[in-house]
Amino acid sequence: MSNFLTGGGRVSVTLTATQKIAVASQGAVQVYRTSGFVNYPDASTLIGTVINGQTVFGTFTGGATIIIDAGGGLSAQYEIGTDPNVKQWRT
């Protein structure tokens, strides 16, 4: 079952080791990976942009925190797992 993110929304997802994340949208969605160290602010790195389609990011062997930013105004969907796939798109 895919998770739904409304247009203009932002979500943080924590993945465990060996998981991947599939992100799908009919607009433009930015996907970031965050990393942080003790006593320092978290840093976010853009790992990809999904434009009118679906992209799978991973495998993250040590786990990861992923931020999905649907700032373009159109909704997005995402699914996590070892073989994720957004099967049904909602708008």
Side-chain angles (χ1 to χ4, degrees), residues 58-79:
T59 300
F60 299 100
T61 56
T65 301
I66 305 296
I67 295 174
I68 304 168
D69 186 1
L74 292 175
S75 61
Q77 290 178 259
Y78 64 95
E79 186 171 319

Side-chain angles (χ1 to χ4, degrees), residues 5-78:
L5 177 62
T6 60
R10 186 176 176 119
V11 67
S12 177
V13 180
T14 302
L15 304 178
T16 61
T18 71
Q19 284 190 320
K20 302 174 187 176
I21 186 165
V23 180
S25 178
Q26 293 179 340
V29 176
Q30 306 289 323
V31 181
Y32 300 89
R33 181 176 184 182
T34 62
S35 59
F37 300 98
V38 178
N39 298 325
Y40 287 96
D42 287 344
S44 297
T45 304
L46 180 67
I47 59 173
T49 302
V50 179
I51 301 173
N52 195 28
Q54 177 174 238
T55 303
V56 177
F57 299 94
T59 300
F60 299 100
T61 56
T65 301
I66 305 296
I67 295 174
I68 304 168
D69 186 1
L74 292 175
S75 61
Q77 290 178 259
Y78 64 95

Side-chain angles (χ1 to χ4, degrees), residues 77-89:
Q77 290 178 259
Y78 64 95
E79 186 171 319
I80 61 173
T82 55
D83 190 24
N85 184 22
V86 177
K87 295 171 186 65
Q88 180 180 355
W89 290 27

